Amino acid sequence: MLETVKYLLGSAGASGYGSKSTAENVTEQSPDLRSVTAIITGATSGIGAETARVLAKRGVKLILPARSVKAAEETKTRILSEVPEAEIIVMALDLSSLSSVRNFVAEFEYLNFPLNLLINNAGKFAHQHAISEDGIEMTFATNHLGHFLLTKLLLKKMIETANETGVQGRIVNVSSSIHGWFSGDSIQYLRLITKDKSQYDATRAYALSKLANVLHTKELARVLKKTGANVTVNCVHPGIVRTRLTREREGLVTDLVFFLTSKLLKTIPQAAATTCYVATHPRLANVSGKYFADCNEVCSSKLGSNSTEAARIWSASEIMVAKNSNANLDPLEASLL
């Protein structure tokens, strides 16, 4: 009850910020960001677009990969109308396709840009059952697996940039508190909903993908620490906000739910605050493997804090994204071996 009251009042936590803080608020004390190059997925609307706008305003050079290049170009135009000096490059990327992820990384590497910041923000809520071209349930493929491969392939560039500049790299995974709604065997459930359409539950599938984001963060932080890389990774819950993620369920029921919960909703500038805080604030130097909400470190779910489960999801993900996988071998079956 006390936490709810603090949330509604926007009371500041240990960081000095709270639920009412905006992305512009939390980046006011950031160091000079004009030397920073960032990749932000899902920046064509909502939280991602606001994150891109504010970081551009602070001088960050932006790479905006998107499935709809037209929508990304529109985001670029809007930002340039406010920040004419902003450097923004739009590139094609479909996170549900592993080949598209590989093509994007190859094109980015050809540009020979540094990479200081990777914000894995894009998200999909597949209300109807669908399978990716790689044979994986679509929500998991987009929200987790695409970002997992993207991060894996970009990590070398991030480590090189950190070593050359002496500036610590940061990876931010945008998850959701809904990750705590998932319980059970994650890989078995993914296999079940990939193979059997009748078992598909959109909300549980989304919760699984967001849990995978949290577990990816935890295991990647361990790997980075073990290798001594000057790169951190953290995970964020942006808060409850009405974005285009709900566009397939517009209607009376959805409108009524959002009206009844309106006092708990954040504005988009408020929802982008935690991402921008974790991505830029100097107090988070050397902080890695943590989960943040309302610009403050909080606890993830019990399953999201499980190191064994984190390693298990990591291993399964490695198998599913392996380029040299036997075409006749089901990656989900292999991950269960």
Side-chain angles (χ1 to χ4, degrees):
M1 181 63 180
L2 179 59
E3 291 304 313
T4 301
V5 171
K6 288 181 178 179
Y7 173 86
L8 292 172
L9 293 176
S11 301
S15 68
Y17 305 108
S19 62
K20 303 300 183 185
S21 299
T22 67
E24 292 207 23
N25 294 154
V26 303
T27 55
E28 287 173 352
Q29 296 181 26
S30 296
D32 187 348
L33 299 177
R34 287 176 293 180
S35 63
V36 172
T37 299
I39 292 176
I40 308 174
T41 68
T44 57
S45 65
I47 297 168
E50 176 66 2
T51 299
R53 183 190 74 83
V54 171
L55 292 185
K57 191 172 180 179
R58 303 305 183 207
V60 176
K61 180 175 184 175
L62 300 178
I63 311 297
L64 304 184
R67 186 166 55 87
S68 171
V69 172
K70 180 177 181 290
E73 289 287 359
E74 290 171 353
T75 297
K76 176 180 176 178
T77 299
R78 288 194 300 271
I79 294 173
L80 289 175
S81 68
E82 180 182 352
V83 191
E85 69 278 13
E87 294 184 73
I88 306 172
I89 295 175
V90 169
M91 299 176 69
L93 170 63
D94 180 353
L95 282 163
S96 72
S97 163
L98 298 180
S99 64
S100 177
V101 173
R102 291 189 180 94
N103 289 339
F104 165 78
V105 173
E107 291 173 9
F108 175 76
E109 289 177 340
Y110 179 78
L111 295 174
N112 200 30
F113 290 147
L115 182 59
N116 310 90
L117 177 59
L118 172 61
I119 300 179
N120 292 320
N121 166 82
K124 180 181 182 65
F125 192 120
H127 298 288
Q128 302 299 319
H129 182 266
I131 302 298
S132 75
E133 65 182 43
D134 302 290
I136 306 297
E137 187 278 317
M138 188 62 79
T139 300
F140 190 89
T142 305
N143 294 356
H144 168 66
L145 211 58
H147 282 130
F148 178 87
L149 180 60
L150 181 67
T151 304
K152 175 184 172 71
L153 296 180
L154 290 172
L155 203 53
K156 180 180 177 182
K157 173 59 70 173
M158 294 196 72
I159 293 171
E160 289 175 352
T161 300
N163 289 340
E164 291 168 3
T165 63
V167 178
Q168 194 168 65
R170 296 190 184 187
I171 300 168
V172 182
N173 290 330
V174 179
S175 182
S176 168
S177 62
I178 202 173
H179 81 272
W181 292 18
F182 185 84
S183 61
D185 188 310
S186 56
I187 303 302
Q188 288 282 11
Y189 181 66
L190 176 60
R191 178 178 180 274
L192 181 66
I193 61 175
T194 295
K195 298 298 182 183
D196 188 350
K197 179 179 179 179
S198 67
Q199 298 296 318
Y200 182 72
D201 178 280
T203 301
R204 193 172 184 215
Y206 183 72
L208 170 60
S209 73
K210 295 289 99 179
L211 172 64
N213 293 155
V214 176
L215 294 171
H216 176 212
T217 302
K218 185 175 184 64
E219 183 65 7
L220 179 56
R222 187 192 68 79
V223 171
L224 290 170
K225 182 178 181 180
K226 182 179 179 180
T227 60
N230 190 23
V231 176
T232 64
V233 57
N234 290 290
C235 198
V236 305
H237 164 55
I240 307 169
V241 58
R242 190 170 193 175
T243 68
R244 290 175 60 190
L245 199 65
T246 62
R247 65 186 178 277
E248 293 179 35
R249 283 192 175 177
E250 294 295 321
L252 180 60
V253 174
T254 302
D255 290 340
L256 179 60
V257 169
F258 274 96
F259 173 75
L260 294 174
T261 60
S262 60
K263 295 301 182 183
L264 297 176
L265 293 180
K266 285 187 175 185
T267 64
I268 287 176
Q270 290 168 348
T274 305
T275 299
C276 288
Y277 172 73
V278 173
T280 68
H281 205 282
R283 76 159 58 226
L284 293 184
N286 301 316
V287 174
S288 193
K290 306 301 183 181
Y291 179 71
F292 291 82
D294 301 328
C295 301
N296 287 276
E297 183 183 338
V298 295
C299 294
S300 61
S301 70
K302 183 177 180 180
L303 191 55
S305 303
N306 189 309
S307 299
T308 301
E309 188 66 13
R312 185 166 175 259
I313 283 284
W314 180 283
S315 297
S317 299
E318 287 279 21
I319 293 169
M320 286 185 274
V321 303
K323 192 173 183 179
N324 60 350
S325 292
N326 186 329
N328 296 316
L329 179 63
D330 183 337
L332 284 167
E333 291 289 355
S335 68
L336 288 166
L337 295 177

